């Protein structure tokens, strides 16, 4: 009885593996060896693939396809010079074999010469009847070259050859996103869905494009269609939950996050989102319950510790907030945002030395926000070090030379430090930059609201502004 086509590949593999367990040597057709080798390569069993290549070439020394598979393994293992030598020999025998050009392209790609790889792949394209794989390789080379337009076109060709090639579909959308062409991605996906209306992957990607455009009702519709196409598609439920959150529909968002937990093992990310929804609904105990579940499920998820930190910080429970931000810092001590949060908590606790240290860490790690400079200076000033506070504001000025807030604060610190000359200079500069923000100066330094020279300076600035 004839074997079904899907049974055939297993037969030579089983026979080959049986041979390896004995001292017998079985004969295989060259095509059987190709099937065996491809099977092992696809499953990452390189050692078995190499054995099959060796025996295959012993039985079929003239097989160009087996020699090309040998070269493919050499390239994979970075034996590039030997691979090139074998390719030179093969090209003499068969100069029109596109696979020779493909393997040469792979070698150039490994050497980071992507332009040469593209040229060779285009030569292979001229020789090939089935160009699907070559377009995929071209797409990857263009990605290496940061040419997202040509990469997108290559992956589009792959999708046109096989509309079930979701890997290429993802790459097309990735290129659209990198080019910030969300409208183009929406048009492309809608066109694709006209032909494939039950493709949950495309609906999911379409929903994400609508999120970028803040078109939340449309995004919800896309995720609903993804779920209709596959009611076990966890990613669609999760993304739908995130959209419902953005729309303020927290109870519905919770339902979708809980659906992901029922379908598969609970994830820390789902617990975290549910916790945030409950917090926004004012369900503090439920929020805490899910936040603690988040860090229990994944103790290394620093966002979980940060969520607990923020929960207590917003409720002025700074001691607990400090405990949990330190947990986050233990996991990711290079995160400037965590150090900034740590600084704010220590400042609220009036632990100015610790707050000063935390702000310094945040800035050293790249947090140069205007508020960071302003609040760091306040901390140091409250720690009775006006000179260092002024140095911090001067540093901040390098990043924000047009900031009136920095100038007003510098004016106040100089005046409080009995440096009237520099205080007046800074105040005049601040008034020129933004007269409207004078209220910030009076709010922070109310002792100068009735100062005669300050009022005259303001009057002069108001006249100059007219």
């Amino acid at each position: 009885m004839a074997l079904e086509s899907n049974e055939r590949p297993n037969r030579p593999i089983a026979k080959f593996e049986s041979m390896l367990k004995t001292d017998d040597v079985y004969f295989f057709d060259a095509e059987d060896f190709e099937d065996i080798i491809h099977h092992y390569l696809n499953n990452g069993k390189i050692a078995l693939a190499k054995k099959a290549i060796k025996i295959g070439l012993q039985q079929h020394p003239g097989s160009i396809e087996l020699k090309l598979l040998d070269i493919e393994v050499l390239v994979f293992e970075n034996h590039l010079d030997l691979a090139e030598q074998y390719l030179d020999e093969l090209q003499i025998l068969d100069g029109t074999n596109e696979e020779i050009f493909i393997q040469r392209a792979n070698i150039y790609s490994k050497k980071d010469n992507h332009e040469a790889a593209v040229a060779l792949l285009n030569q292979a394209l001229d020789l090939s009847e089935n160009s699907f794989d070559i377009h995929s390789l071209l797409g990857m080379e263009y990605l290496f070259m940061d040419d997202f337009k040509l990469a997108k076109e290559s992956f589009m060709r792959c999708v046109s050859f096989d509309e079930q090639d979701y890997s290429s579909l993802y790459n097309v959308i990735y290129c659209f996103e990198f080019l910030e062409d969300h409208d183009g991605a929406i048009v492309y996906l809608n066109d694709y869905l006209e032909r494939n209306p039950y493709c949950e992957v495309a609906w999911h990607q379409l929903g994400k494009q609508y999120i970028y455009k803040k078109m939340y009702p449309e995004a919800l519709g896309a995720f609903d269609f993804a779920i209709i196409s596959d009611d076990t598609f966890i990613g669609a439920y999760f993304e739908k939950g995130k959209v419902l959150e953005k729309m303020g529909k927290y109870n519905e968002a919770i339902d979708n996050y809980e659906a992901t937990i029922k379908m598969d093992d609970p994830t820390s990310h789902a617990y975290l989102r549910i916790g945030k929804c409950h917090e926004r609904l004012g369900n503090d105990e439920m929020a805490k319950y899910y936040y603690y579940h988040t860090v229990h499920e994944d103790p290394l998820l620093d966002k979980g510790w940060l969520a607990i930190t923020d929960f207590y910080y917003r409720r002025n429970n700074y001691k607990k907030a400090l405990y949990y931000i330190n947990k986050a810092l233990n996991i990711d001590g290079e995160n400037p945002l965590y150090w900034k949060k740590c600084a704010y908590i220590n400042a609220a606790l009036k632990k100015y030395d610790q707050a000063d240290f935390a702000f310094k860490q945040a800035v050293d790690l790249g947090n140069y926000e205007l508020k960071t400079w302003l609040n760091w200076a306040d901390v140091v000033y409250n720690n009775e070090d006006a000179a260092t506070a002024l140095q911090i504001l001067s540093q901040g000025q390098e990043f924000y030379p047009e900031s009136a807030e920095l100038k007003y604060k510098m004016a106040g610190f100089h005046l409080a430090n009995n440096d009237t000359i520099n205080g007046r200079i800074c105040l005049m500069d601040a008034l020129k930059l933004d007269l409207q923000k004078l209220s910030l100066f009076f709010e922070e330094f109310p002792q100068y609201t009735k100062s005669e020279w300050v009022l005259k300076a303001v009057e002069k600035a108001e006249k100059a502004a007219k």
Side-chain angles (χ1 to χ4, degrees), residues 22-280:
T22 68
D23 291 330
D24 298 330
V25 177
Y26 303 152
F27 180 83
F28 296 85
D29 290 340
E31 289 182 4
D32 285 341
F33 272 117
E34 289 173 40
D35 289 339
I36 293 165
I37 294 159
H38 281 300
H39 169 78
Y40 288 135
L41 289 176
N42 291 337
N43 287 280
K45 297 179 178 179
I46 305 301
L48 286 171
K50 287 165 75 173
K51 278 187 182 179
I53 290 168
K54 183 180 177 182
I55 297 168
L57 286 171
Q58 286 171 353
Q59 293 187 9
H60 303 280
S63 170
I64 288 176
E65 295 305 320
L66 291 177
K67 288 177 180 178
L68 283 166
L69 285 168
D70 187 24
I71 290 166
E72 185 177 335
V73 172
L74 288 171
V75 173
F76 177 78
E77 294 186 329
N78 286 317
H79 301 305
L80 305 183
D81 291 339
L82 185 57
E84 282 192 284
Q85 180 187 321
Y86 287 173
L87 283 168
D88 290 341
E89 294 169 6
L90 277 185
Q91 195 148 11
I92 295 168
L93 297 172
D94 186 0
T96 60
N97 189 318
E98 73 271 10
E99 190 64 30
I100 293 172
F101 293 93
I102 291 169
Q103 291 306 326
R104 285 197 190 279
N106 287 338
I107 290 169
Y108 277 110
S109 182
K110 286 217 164 196
K111 292 179 176 180
D112 291 328
N113 189 345
H114 301 294
E115 291 83 357
V118 165
L120 285 158
L121 288 170
N122 279 318
Q123 283 183 267
L125 210 52
D126 293 336
L127 298 167
S128 175
E129 293 180 8
N130 180 12
S131 56
F132 167 81
D133 289 334
I134 300 173
H135 283 298
S136 180
L137 290 169
L138 272 168
M140 294 309 298
E141 292 304 317
Y142 287 130
L143 284 182
F144 287 132
M145 295 162 66
D146 292 333
D147 191 333
F148 293 94
K149 186 175 181 295
L150 288 177
K152 180 186 69 177
E153 291 170 5
S154 293
F155 290 123
M156 279 180 169
R157 290 190 186 99
C158 293
V159 176
S160 69
F161 282 120
D162 177 9
E163 295 201 322
Q164 307 307 307
D165 178 14
Y166 297 140
S167 176
S168 291
L169 181 63
Y170 279 123
N171 281 328
V172 170
I173 303 307
Y174 171 77
C175 292
F176 272 118
E177 287 179 356
F178 199 93
L179 294 165
E180 296 182 356
D181 183 9
H182 301 295
D183 290 327
I186 288 168
V187 170
Y188 178 80
L189 286 165
N190 275 311
D191 182 58
Y192 177 90
L193 284 162
E194 284 288 324
R195 301 186 303 277
N196 302 276
Y198 294 102
C199 177
E200 70 278 8
V201 172
W203 283 116
H204 181 248
Q205 289 298 310
L206 181 60
K208 291 175 78 173
Q209 298 310 308
Y210 283 132
I211 291 173
Y212 283 118
K213 299 281 293 178
K214 293 184 167 51
M215 298 167 68
Y216 298 132
E218 291 83 353
L220 277 184
F223 293 131
D224 280 335
F225 277 115
I227 291 166
I228 290 167
S229 304
D230 178 1
D231 62 5
T232 64
F233 190 4
I234 289 174
Y237 286 101
F238 196 85
E239 292 293 338
K240 185 181 174 184
K242 285 163 69 176
V243 173
L244 289 164
E245 262 194 86
K246 290 177 188 293
M247 297 173 75
K249 299 180 178 181
Y250 301 118
N251 283 311
E252 291 178 56
I254 289 169
D255 290 340
N256 279 273
Y257 293 135
E258 286 181 341
T260 70
I261 291 171
K262 288 172 186 171
M263 283 181 214
D264 202 354
D265 293 334
T267 68
S268 56
H269 293 284
Y271 283 139
L272 180 60
R273 298 306 335 154
I274 294 171
K276 286 186 178 290
C277 288
H278 277 299
E279 187 174 359
R280 290 187 178 101

Side-chain angles (χ1 to χ4, degrees), residues 288-306:
K288 275 199 295 184
Y289 172 83
Y290 280 103
Y291 288 152
Y292 283 112
H293 261 58
T294 300
V295 294
H296 176 76
E297 186 67 30
D298 184 1
L300 295 179
L301 183 68
D302 43 2
K303 288 181 181 177
W305 297 112
L306 187 62

Side-chain angles (χ1 to χ4, degrees), residues 338-349:
Y338 296 167
W339 280 110
K340 187 179 74 168
K341 179 68 70 176
C342 181
Y344 284 135
I345 295 166
N346 276 301
L349 288 166

Side-chain angles (χ1 to χ4, degrees), residues 373-391:
W373 298 106
L374 293 167
N375 289 312
W376 186 12
D378 283 336
V379 161
V380 174
Y381 181 77
N382 287 332
N383 209 23
E384 300 180 355
D385 188 352
T388 303
L390 285 163
Q391 284 178 7

